PDB file of all heavy atoms in Angstrom:
ATOM      1  N   GLU A   1       0.837  -1.207   0.006  1.00 97.00           N
ATOM      2  CA  GLU A   1       0.011   0.012  -0.002  1.00 97.00           C
ATOM      3  C   GLU A   1       0.864   1.266   0.014  1.00 97.00           C
ATOM      4  O   GLU A   1       0.408   2.340  -0.411  1.00 97.00           O
ATOM      5  CB  GLU A   1      -0.936   0.018   1.214  1.00 97.00           C
ATOM      6  CG  GLU A   1      -1.996  -1.122   1.150  1.00 97.00           C
ATOM      7  CD  GLU A   1      -2.920  -1.077   2.346  1.00 97.00           C
ATOM      8  OE1 GLU A   1      -2.790  -0.175   3.193  1.00 97.00           O
ATOM      9  OE2 GLU A   1      -3.775  -1.982   2.442  1.00 97.00           O
ATOM     10  N   PHE A   2       2.103   1.133   0.425  1.00 98.00           N
ATOM     11  CA  PHE A   2       3.027   2.264   0.447  1.00 98.00           C
ATOM     12  C   PHE A   2       3.465   2.656  -0.963  1.00 98.00           C
ATOM     13  O   PHE A   2       3.951   3.765  -1.182  1.00 98.00           O
ATOM     14  CB  PHE A   2       4.217   1.892   1.314  1.00 98.00           C
ATOM     15  CG  PHE A   2       5.190   3.019   1.616  1.00 98.00           C
ATOM     16  CD1 PHE A   2       4.752   4.322   1.859  1.00 98.00           C
ATOM     17  CD2 PHE A   2       6.563   2.779   1.671  1.00 98.00           C
ATOM     18  CE1 PHE A   2       5.657   5.331   2.128  1.00 98.00           C
ATOM     19  CE2 PHE A   2       7.455   3.767   1.944  1.00 98.00           C
ATOM     20  CZ  PHE A   2       7.011   5.056   2.183  1.00 98.00           C
ATOM     21  N   SER A   3       3.240   1.771  -1.925  1.00 97.00           N
ATOM     22  CA  SER A   3       3.695   2.047  -3.304  1.00 97.00           C
ATOM     23  C   SER A   3       3.078   3.294  -3.845  1.00 97.00           C
ATOM     24  O   SER A   3       3.730   4.013  -4.664  1.00 97.00           O
ATOM     25  CB  SER A   3       3.349   0.855  -4.194  1.00 97.00           C
ATOM     26  OG  SER A   3       4.254  -0.196  -4.032  1.00 97.00           O
ATOM     27  N   LYS A   4       1.820   3.607  -3.544  1.00 97.00           N
ATOM     28  CA  LYS A   4       1.177   4.765  -4.073  1.00 97.00           C
ATOM     29  C   LYS A   4       1.914   6.056  -3.690  1.00 97.00           C
ATOM     30  O   LYS A   4       2.116   6.955  -4.518  1.00 97.00           O
ATOM     31  CB  LYS A   4      -0.272   4.823  -3.572  1.00 97.00           C
ATOM     32  CG  LYS A   4      -1.097   5.948  -4.171  1.00 97.00           C
ATOM     33  CD  LYS A   4      -2.546   5.884  -3.738  1.00 97.00           C
ATOM     34  CE  LYS A   4      -3.358   7.018  -4.358  1.00 97.00           C
ATOM     35  NZ  LYS A   4      -4.791   6.978  -3.915  1.00 97.00           N
ATOM     36  N   GLU A   5       2.338   6.108  -2.420  1.00 98.00           N
ATOM     37  CA  GLU A   5       3.088   7.285  -1.957  1.00 98.00           C
ATOM     38  C   GLU A   5       4.467   7.353  -2.615  1.00 98.00           C
ATOM     39  O   GLU A   5       4.946   8.447  -2.959  1.00 98.00           O
ATOM     40  CB  GLU A   5       3.217   7.212  -0.394  1.00 98.00           C
ATOM     41  CG  GLU A   5       3.695   8.494   0.230  1.00 98.00           C
ATOM     42  CD  GLU A   5       3.671   8.438   1.741  1.00 98.00           C
ATOM     43  OE1 GLU A   5       2.994   7.513   2.315  1.00 98.00           O
ATOM     44  OE2 GLU A   5       4.291   9.282   2.395  1.00 98.00           O
ATOM     45  N   ILE A   6       5.083   6.206  -2.771  1.00 98.00           N
ATOM     46  CA  ILE A   6       6.418   6.173  -3.416  1.00 98.00           C
ATOM     47  C   ILE A   6       6.307   6.649  -4.869  1.00 98.00           C
ATOM     48  O   ILE A   6       7.096   7.491  -5.346  1.00 98.00           O
ATOM     49  CB  ILE A   6       6.989   4.765  -3.378  1.00 98.00           C
ATOM     50  CG1 ILE A   6       7.193   4.268  -1.920  1.00 98.00           C
ATOM     51  CG2 ILE A   6       8.369   4.709  -4.106  1.00 98.00           C
ATOM     52  CD1 ILE A   6       7.433   2.787  -1.814  1.00 98.00           C
ATOM     53  N   LYS A   7       5.331   6.123  -5.584  1.00 97.00           N
ATOM     54  CA  LYS A   7       5.160   6.488  -6.976  1.00 97.00           C
ATOM     55  C   LYS A   7       4.819   7.980  -7.152  1.00 97.00           C
ATOM     56  O   LYS A   7       5.241   8.638  -8.114  1.00 97.00           O
ATOM     57  CB  LYS A   7       4.075   5.619  -7.637  1.00 97.00           C
ATOM     58  CG  LYS A   7       4.544   4.202  -7.833  1.00 97.00           C
ATOM     59  CD  LYS A   7       3.435   3.316  -8.403  1.00 97.00           C
ATOM     60  CE  LYS A   7       3.907   1.896  -8.616  1.00 97.00           C
ATOM     61  NZ  LYS A   7       2.861   0.970  -9.036  1.00 97.00           N
ATOM     62  N   HIS A   8       4.075   8.500  -6.181  1.00 97.00           N
ATOM     63  CA  HIS A   8       3.807   9.941  -6.219  1.00 97.00           C
ATOM     64  C   HIS A   8       5.095  10.742  -6.136  1.00 97.00           C
ATOM     65  O   HIS A   8       5.268  11.735  -6.895  1.00 97.00           O
ATOM     66  CB  HIS A   8       2.842  10.312  -5.072  1.00 97.00           C
ATOM     67  CG  HIS A   8       2.549  11.797  -5.008  1.00 97.00           C
ATOM     68  ND1 HIS A   8       1.654  12.417  -5.867  1.00 97.00           N
ATOM     69  CD2 HIS A   8       3.060  12.775  -4.193  1.00 97.00           C
ATOM     70  CE1 HIS A   8       1.583  13.706  -5.561  1.00 97.00           C
ATOM     71  NE2 HIS A   8       2.439  13.937  -4.543  1.00 97.00           N
ATOM     72  N   LYS A   9       6.002  10.350  -5.248  1.00 98.00           N
ATOM     73  CA  LYS A   9       7.267  11.070  -5.148  1.00 98.00           C
ATOM     74  C   LYS A   9       8.075  10.932  -6.425  1.00 98.00           C
ATOM     75  O   LYS A   9       8.629  11.913  -6.946  1.00 98.00           O
ATOM     76  CB  LYS A   9       8.064  10.533  -3.939  1.00 98.00           C
ATOM     77  CG  LYS A   9       9.419  11.261  -3.784  1.00 98.00           C
ATOM     78  CD  LYS A   9      10.202  10.771  -2.558  1.00 98.00           C
ATOM     79  CE  LYS A   9      11.512  11.575  -2.405  1.00 98.00           C
ATOM     80  NZ  LYS A   9      12.303  11.151  -1.254  1.00 98.00           N
ATOM     81  N   ILE A  10       8.138   9.704  -6.981  1.00 97.00           N
ATOM     82  CA  ILE A  10       8.893   9.493  -8.213  1.00 97.00           C
ATOM     83  C   ILE A  10       8.311  10.295  -9.378  1.00 97.00           C
ATOM     84  O   ILE A  10       9.031  10.937 -10.122  1.00 97.00           O
ATOM     85  CB  ILE A  10       8.908   7.992  -8.547  1.00 97.00           C
ATOM     86  CG1 ILE A  10       9.771   7.218  -7.528  1.00 97.00           C
ATOM     87  CG2 ILE A  10       9.430   7.737  -9.960  1.00 97.00           C
ATOM     88  CD1 ILE A  10       9.673   5.718  -7.652  1.00 97.00           C
ATOM     89  N   ASN A  11       6.994  10.301  -9.472  1.00 96.00           N
ATOM     90  CA  ASN A  11       6.336  10.952 -10.595  1.00 96.00           C
ATOM     91  C   ASN A  11       6.399  12.474 -10.524  1.00 96.00           C
ATOM     92  O   ASN A  11       6.157  13.160 -11.531  1.00 96.00           O
ATOM     93  CB  ASN A  11       4.863  10.535 -10.687  1.00 96.00           C
ATOM     94  CG  ASN A  11       4.745   9.073 -11.145  1.00 96.00           C
ATOM     95  OD1 ASN A  11       5.666   8.501 -11.702  1.00 96.00           O
ATOM     96  ND2 ASN A  11       3.605   8.470 -10.868  1.00 96.00           N
ATOM     97  N   ASN A  12       6.732  13.002  -9.363  1.00 95.00           N
ATOM     98  CA  ASN A  12       6.825  14.445  -9.211  1.00 95.00           C
ATOM     99  C   ASN A  12       8.257  14.960  -9.274  1.00 95.00           C
ATOM    100  O   ASN A  12       8.511  16.127  -9.012  1.00 95.00           O
ATOM    101  CB  ASN A  12       6.156  14.907  -7.895  1.00 95.00           C
ATOM    102  CG  ASN A  12       4.639  15.031  -8.065  1.00 95.00           C
ATOM    103  OD1 ASN A  12       4.141  16.041  -8.543  1.00 95.00           O
ATOM    104  ND2 ASN A  12       3.955  13.965  -7.691  1.00 95.00           N
ATOM    105  N   LYS A  13       9.193  14.098  -9.688  1.00 97.00           N
ATOM    106  CA  LYS A  13      10.531  14.563  -9.985  1.00 97.00           C
ATOM    107  C   LYS A  13      10.532  15.278 -11.326  1.00 97.00           C
ATOM    108  O   LYS A  13       9.605  15.094 -12.142  1.00 97.00           O
ATOM    109  CB  LYS A  13      11.494  13.352 -10.051  1.00 97.00           C
ATOM    110  CG  LYS A  13      11.666  12.589  -8.734  1.00 97.00           C
ATOM    111  CD  LYS A  13      12.323  13.432  -7.660  1.00 97.00           C
ATOM    112  CE  LYS A  13      12.565  12.638  -6.401  1.00 97.00           C
ATOM    113  NZ  LYS A  13      13.191  13.496  -5.317  1.00 97.00           N
ATOM    114  N   THR A  14      11.531  16.150 -11.545  1.00 95.00           N
ATOM    115  CA  THR A  14      11.527  16.958 -12.770  1.00 95.00           C
ATOM    116  C   THR A  14      11.948  16.093 -13.982  1.00 95.00           C
ATOM    117  O   THR A  14      13.093  16.186 -14.461  1.00 95.00           O
ATOM    118  CB  THR A  14      12.497  18.144 -12.590  1.00 95.00           C
ATOM    119  OG1 THR A  14      13.762  17.638 -12.065  1.00 95.00           O
ATOM    120  CG2 THR A  14      11.936  19.144 -11.681  1.00 95.00           C
ATOM    121  N   LYS A  15      10.986  15.345 -14.459  1.00 95.00           N
ATOM    122  CA  LYS A  15      11.204  14.436 -15.583  1.00 95.00           C
ATOM    123  C   LYS A  15       9.836  14.000 -16.138  1.00 95.00           C
ATOM    124  O   LYS A  15       8.838  14.062 -15.413  1.00 95.00           O
ATOM    125  CB  LYS A  15      12.010  13.180 -15.143  1.00 95.00           C
ATOM    126  CG  LYS A  15      11.253  12.399 -14.106  1.00 95.00           C
ATOM    127  CD  LYS A  15      11.945  11.126 -13.702  1.00 95.00           C
ATOM    128  CE  LYS A  15      11.118  10.331 -12.722  1.00 95.00           C
ATOM    129  NZ  LYS A  15       9.785   9.963 -13.237  1.00 95.00           N
ATOM    130  N   PRO A  16       9.798  13.555 -17.369  1.00 95.00           N
ATOM    131  CA  PRO A  16       8.562  12.990 -17.879  1.00 95.00           C
ATOM    132  C   PRO A  16       8.234  11.676 -17.109  1.00 95.00           C
ATOM    133  O   PRO A  16       9.115  11.011 -16.660  1.00 95.00           O
ATOM    134  CB  PRO A  16       8.875  12.673 -19.371  1.00 95.00           C
ATOM    135  CG  PRO A  16      10.027  13.572 -19.700  1.00 95.00           C
ATOM    136  CD  PRO A  16      10.803  13.713 -18.436  1.00 95.00           C
ATOM    137  N   LEU A  17       6.951  11.373 -17.029  1.00 95.00           N
ATOM    138  CA  LEU A  17       6.522  10.156 -16.322  1.00 95.00           C
ATOM    139  C   LEU A  17       7.186   8.931 -16.882  1.00 95.00           C
ATOM    140  O   LEU A  17       7.226   8.723 -18.126  1.00 95.00           O
ATOM    141  CB  LEU A  17       5.003  10.013 -16.420  1.00 95.00           C
ATOM    142  CG  LEU A  17       4.148  10.924 -15.588  1.00 95.00           C
ATOM    143  CD1 LEU A  17       2.667  10.724 -15.892  1.00 95.00           C
ATOM    144  CD2 LEU A  17       4.404  10.712 -14.095  1.00 95.00           C
ATOM    145  N   GLY A  18       7.755   8.108 -16.010  1.00 96.00           N
ATOM    146  CA  GLY A  18       8.365   6.863 -16.417  1.00 96.00           C
ATOM    147  C   GLY A  18       9.695   6.958 -17.170  1.00 96.00           C
ATOM    148  O   GLY A  18      10.244   5.946 -17.642  1.00 96.00           O
ATOM    149  N   SER A  19      10.262   8.150 -17.272  1.00 97.00           N
ATOM    150  CA  SER A  19      11.404   8.331 -18.155  1.00 97.00           C
ATOM    151  C   SER A  19      12.688   7.781 -17.569  1.00 97.00           C
ATOM    152  O   SER A  19      13.696   7.685 -18.326  1.00 97.00           O
ATOM    153  CB  SER A  19      11.581   9.836 -18.462  1.00 97.00           C
ATOM    154  OG  SER A  19      11.786  10.569 -17.283  1.00 97.00           O
ATOM    155  N   LEU A  20      12.749   7.396 -16.321  1.00 98.00           N
ATOM    156  CA  LEU A  20      13.918   6.760 -15.760  1.00 98.00           C
ATOM    157  C   LEU A  20      13.785   5.251 -15.728  1.00 98.00           C
ATOM    158  O   LEU A  20      14.629   4.526 -15.143  1.00 98.00           O
ATOM    159  CB  LEU A  20      14.264   7.283 -14.383  1.00 98.00           C
ATOM    160  CG  LEU A  20      14.943   8.682 -14.375  1.00 98.00           C
ATOM    161  CD1 LEU A  20      15.196   9.182 -12.976  1.00 98.00           C
ATOM    162  CD2 LEU A  20      16.257   8.635 -15.166  1.00 98.00           C
ATOM    163  N   GLY A  21      12.732   4.720 -16.346  1.00 97.00           N
ATOM    164  CA  GLY A  21      12.596   3.299 -16.599  1.00 97.00           C
ATOM    165  C   GLY A  21      12.832   2.406 -15.386  1.00 97.00           C
ATOM    166  O   GLY A  21      12.210   2.581 -14.333  1.00 97.00           O
ATOM    167  N   THR A  22      13.751   1.472 -15.552  1.00 97.00           N
ATOM    168  CA  THR A  22      14.017   0.477 -14.506  1.00 97.00           C
ATOM    169  C   THR A  22      14.514   1.126 -13.209  1.00 97.00           C
ATOM    170  O   THR A  22      14.311   0.596 -12.142  1.00 97.00           O
ATOM    171  CB  THR A  22      15.054  -0.541 -15.049  1.00 97.00           C
ATOM    172  OG1 THR A  22      14.510  -1.192 -16.197  1.00 97.00           O
ATOM    173  CG2 THR A  22      15.354  -1.605 -13.985  1.00 97.00           C
ATOM    174  N   LEU A  23      15.209   2.288 -13.338  1.00 98.00           N
ATOM    175  CA  LEU A  23      15.645   2.950 -12.115  1.00 98.00           C
ATOM    176  C   LEU A  23      14.440   3.250 -11.203  1.00 98.00           C
ATOM    177  O   LEU A  23      14.556   3.215  -9.982  1.00 98.00           O
ATOM    178  CB  LEU A  23      16.393   4.246 -12.445  1.00 98.00           C
ATOM    179  CG  LEU A  23      17.802   4.109 -12.990  1.00 98.00           C
ATOM    180  CD1 LEU A  23      18.418   5.496 -13.184  1.00 98.00           C
ATOM    181  CD2 LEU A  23      18.683   3.270 -12.091  1.00 98.00           C
ATOM    182  N   GLU A  24      13.325   3.591 -11.785  1.00 98.00           N
ATOM    183  CA  GLU A  24      12.143   3.917 -10.975  1.00 98.00           C
ATOM    184  C   GLU A  24      11.613   2.661 -10.267  1.00 98.00           C
ATOM    185  O   GLU A  24      11.226   2.721  -9.116  1.00 98.00           O
ATOM    186  CB  GLU A  24      11.038   4.538 -11.886  1.00 98.00           C
ATOM    187  CG  GLU A  24      11.493   5.855 -12.553  1.00 98.00           C
ATOM    188  CD  GLU A  24      10.377   6.531 -13.315  1.00 98.00           C
ATOM    189  OE1 GLU A  24       9.188   6.163 -13.121  1.00 98.00           O
ATOM    190  OE2 GLU A  24      10.688   7.447 -14.118  1.00 98.00           O
ATOM    191  N   THR A  25      11.643   1.548 -10.962  1.00 98.00           N
ATOM    192  CA  THR A  25      11.233   0.283 -10.343  1.00 98.00           C
ATOM    193  C   THR A  25      12.161  -0.097  -9.187  1.00 98.00           C
ATOM    194  O   THR A  25      11.702  -0.529  -8.123  1.00 98.00           O
ATOM    195  CB  THR A  25      11.243  -0.847 -11.370  1.00 98.00           C
ATOM    196  OG1 THR A  25      10.437  -0.464 -12.497  1.00 98.00           O
ATOM    197  CG2 THR A  25      10.708  -2.121 -10.820  1.00 98.00           C
ATOM    198  N   ILE A  26      13.472   0.097  -9.389  1.00 98.00           N
ATOM    199  CA  ILE A  26      14.442  -0.236  -8.321  1.00 98.00           C
ATOM    200  C   ILE A  26      14.218   0.677  -7.151  1.00 98.00           C
ATOM    201  O   ILE A  26      14.231   0.260  -5.965  1.00 98.00           O
ATOM    202  CB  ILE A  26      15.868  -0.149  -8.870  1.00 98.00           C
ATOM    203  CG1 ILE A  26      16.129  -1.165  -9.979  1.00 98.00           C
ATOM    204  CG2 ILE A  26      16.887  -0.300  -7.723  1.00 98.00           C
ATOM    205  CD1 ILE A  26      17.428  -0.972 -10.697  1.00 98.00           C
ATOM    206  N   ALA A  27      14.053   1.991  -7.426  1.00 98.00           N
ATOM    207  CA  ALA A  27      13.847   2.955  -6.302  1.00 98.00           C
ATOM    208  C   ALA A  27      12.612   2.586  -5.503  1.00 98.00           C
ATOM    209  O   ALA A  27      12.631   2.661  -4.261  1.00 98.00           O
ATOM    210  CB  ALA A  27      13.726   4.354  -6.906  1.00 98.00           C
ATOM    211  N   GLU A  28      11.560   2.223  -6.203  1.00 98.00           N
ATOM    212  CA  GLU A  28      10.325   1.841  -5.507  1.00 98.00           C
ATOM    213  C   GLU A  28      10.585   0.633  -4.576  1.00 98.00           C
ATOM    214  O   GLU A  28      10.119   0.594  -3.435  1.00 98.00           O
ATOM    215  CB  GLU A  28       9.211   1.520  -6.490  1.00 98.00           C
ATOM    216  CG  GLU A  28       7.920   1.129  -5.819  1.00 98.00           C
ATOM    217  CD  GLU A  28       6.827   0.758  -6.815  1.00 98.00           C
ATOM    218  OE1 GLU A  28       7.031   0.902  -8.057  1.00 98.00           O
ATOM    219  OE2 GLU A  28       5.743   0.296  -6.353  1.00 98.00           O
ATOM    220  N   LYS A  29      11.340  -0.352  -5.099  1.00 98.00           N
ATOM    221  CA  LYS A  29      11.577  -1.550  -4.304  1.00 98.00           C
ATOM    222  C   LYS A  29      12.440  -1.204  -3.091  1.00 98.00           C
ATOM    223  O   LYS A  29      12.199  -1.730  -1.966  1.00 98.00           O
ATOM    224  CB  LYS A  29      12.257  -2.617  -5.128  1.00 98.00           C
ATOM    225  CG  LYS A  29      12.347  -3.961  -4.435  1.00 98.00           C
ATOM    226  CD  LYS A  29      11.996  -5.086  -5.374  1.00 98.00           C
ATOM    227  CE  LYS A  29      11.703  -6.377  -4.639  1.00 98.00           C
ATOM    228  NZ  LYS A  29      11.344  -7.481  -5.549  1.00 98.00           N
ATOM    229  N   LEU A  30      13.437  -0.357  -3.275  1.00 98.00           N
ATOM    230  CA  LEU A  30      14.272   0.036  -2.127  1.00 98.00           C
ATOM    231  C   LEU A  30      13.426   0.738  -1.059  1.00 98.00           C
ATOM    232  O   LEU A  30      13.585   0.479   0.145  1.00 98.00           O
ATOM    233  CB  LEU A  30      15.391   1.002  -2.569  1.00 98.00           C
ATOM    234  CG  LEU A  30      16.488   0.389  -3.465  1.00 98.00           C
ATOM    235  CD1 LEU A  30      17.423   1.499  -3.932  1.00 98.00           C
ATOM    236  CD2 LEU A  30      17.289  -0.667  -2.698  1.00 98.00           C
ATOM    237  N   CYS A  31      12.492   1.586  -1.476  1.00 98.00           N
ATOM    238  CA  CYS A  31      11.623   2.261  -0.544  1.00 98.00           C
ATOM    239  C   CYS A  31      10.704   1.295   0.188  1.00 98.00           C
ATOM    240  O   CYS A  31      10.494   1.414   1.414  1.00 98.00           O
ATOM    241  CB  CYS A  31      10.780   3.316  -1.255  1.00 98.00           C
ATOM    242  SG  CYS A  31      11.700   4.758  -1.858  1.00 98.00           S
ATOM    243  N   LEU A  32      10.195   0.302  -0.518  1.00 98.00           N
ATOM    244  CA  LEU A  32       9.331  -0.688   0.083  1.00 98.00           C
ATOM    245  C   LEU A  32      10.103  -1.526   1.084  1.00 98.00           C
ATOM    246  O   LEU A  32       9.620  -1.784   2.229  1.00 98.00           O
ATOM    247  CB  LEU A  32       8.750  -1.592  -0.970  1.00 98.00           C
ATOM    248  CG  LEU A  32       7.600  -1.024  -1.828  1.00 98.00           C
ATOM    249  CD1 LEU A  32       7.276  -1.955  -2.993  1.00 98.00           C
ATOM    250  CD2 LEU A  32       6.367  -0.779  -0.988  1.00 98.00           C
ATOM    251  N   ILE A  33      11.300  -1.939   0.749  1.00 98.00           N
ATOM    252  CA  ILE A  33      12.104  -2.765   1.648  1.00 98.00           C
ATOM    253  C   ILE A  33      12.429  -2.023   2.941  1.00 98.00           C
ATOM    254  O   ILE A  33      12.341  -2.558   4.035  1.00 98.00           O
ATOM    255  CB  ILE A  33      13.412  -3.228   0.940  1.00 98.00           C
ATOM    256  CG1 ILE A  33      13.070  -4.267  -0.150  1.00 98.00           C
ATOM    257  CG2 ILE A  33      14.393  -3.825   1.940  1.00 98.00           C
ATOM    258  CD1 ILE A  33      14.247  -4.571  -1.051  1.00 98.00           C
TER     259      ILE A  33
END
């Protein structure tokens, strides 16, 4: 359930949505862990 908050932080970085690709997935997993 914490993923929604993590993705909000990632999506509000100064970049187009999803533009850091796998790095975004890794960052989300680190935050969850």
Side-chain angles (χ1 to χ4, degrees):
E1 294 181 3
F2 188 37
S3 282
K4 185 175 181 180
E5 192 174 344
I6 300 166
K7 288 176 179 174
H8 177 77
K9 181 176 181 180
I10 290 171
N11 290 341
N12 278 277
K13 296 296 184 180
T14 49
K15 62 176 183 60
L17 286 175
S19 59
L20 283 178
T22 301
L23 286 183
E24 299 186 16
T25 305
I26 296 170
E28 180 183 355
K29 190 137 196 179
L30 292 174
C31 290
L32 285 171
I33 290 170

